Amino acid sequence: MTTILLAHGSPDARHAATLERLRARVAGPLDEAGRGSTHLVYIEHDHPRPDELGPGIADEVTVVPMLITPAFHARVDVPAAVRAFGAGGAHARVTSALGGHPLLLDAVDERLRAAGHDPGSPTLLVAGGSSSGQAGQSIRRLLDAHPREGWLTMTLAAPRAGAARGRLVVPATLAEGVLHDRVAALAEANGAPFIPGGLADTDAVARLVLHRVLG
């Protein structure tokens, strides 16, 4: 059996380094659970790509989309990757993406604590977003279902004037990289404290990946 963590990829090397740390954290528990080897595979920018690894896999594959919000990648690139993993005769199973699970909010709590802040502090979660608005809706639904007093959300694609005022700004990104740094710039422009780091560097996201694979 093989587990694939299917990530977007980034031109920023910090992105792959962060996700590799996550892969290392979950690989041992997955192997002990009989899930075999665990690999990071990227949709773009980094390697390996699905068509590079797929032909060499002939056993059962579990694919975990490393996506926090719905996007073109979830609708188009993930199914294409699954087809590539089947090129070697493997049967591929796709789990739900990481988005929508309350463990992501626990991951934000961890980032706040790591930066020396109380998780109950007023906080603004900022996702990348797109013209479709799905990213913003996804984060809002998660926070509506699991409310945190004083927390707000928005996307870079649809900024809310004054939303950062009096709040800690946290990037809703798995890893440091281009989007992470754009959120940092937004915080600086608004004179708001920025909480650096990717959510993938938390125990909560490691638990979420294990939950997606093992159920």
Side-chain angles (χ1 to χ4, degrees):
M1 301 177 75
T2 301
T3 299
I4 301 292
L5 308 184
L6 183 63
H8 177 269
S10 170
D12 190 315
R14 292 174 298 167
H15 181 271
T18 302
L19 291 177
E20 173 55 31
R21 289 193 294 272
L22 174 61
R23 188 208 63 80
R25 294 174 82 168
V26 302
L30 289 175
D31 185 43
E32 291 172 6
R35 293 288 172 166
S37 59
T38 300
H39 301 271
L40 259 172
V41 180
Y42 299 93
I43 293 169
E44 57 184 57
H45 297 298
D46 298 297
H47 293 271
R49 306 280 176 83
D51 59 354
E52 294 170 344
L53 190 64
I57 301 176
D59 57 359
E60 182 179 336
V61 178
T62 299
V63 180
V64 184
M66 303 296 288
L67 302 171
I68 289 181
T69 60
F72 177 84
H73 303 290
R75 300 190 306 272
V76 177
D77 291 326
V78 171
V82 170
R83 291 193 294 272
F85 293 134
H91 170 70
R93 174 180 75 93
V94 184
T95 75
S96 298
L98 301 185
H101 198 285
L103 278 171
L104 288 175
L105 300 180
D106 292 344
V108 175
D109 286 345
E110 285 189 52
R111 297 310 312 161
L112 291 171
R113 290 192 188 95
H117 296 282
D118 187 329
S121 302
T123 298
L124 176 66
L125 293 180
V126 184
S130 66
S131 58
S132 71
Q134 287 184 311
Q137 294 168 15
S138 173
I139 296 290
R140 281 195 298 274
R141 282 196 298 268
L142 176 60
L143 204 50
D144 286 345
H146 306 276
R148 304 291 180 97
E149 186 175 353
W151 284 30
L152 292 178
T153 68
M154 75 174 202
T155 65
L156 291 171
R160 299 167 60 180
R165 190 174 302 120
R167 288 183 169 81
L168 304 171
V169 176
V170 180
T173 58
L174 286 177
E176 293 177 298
V178 176
L179 288 178
H180 173 278
D181 291 353
R182 287 179 60 194
V183 178
L186 179 146
E188 183 178 7
N190 285 272
F194 176 68
I195 308 302
L199 299 182
D201 270 332
T202 63
D203 290 337
V205 167
R207 295 200 306 273
L208 177 50
V209 172
L210 293 175
H211 172 71
R212 288 299 192 227
V213 177
L214 302 176

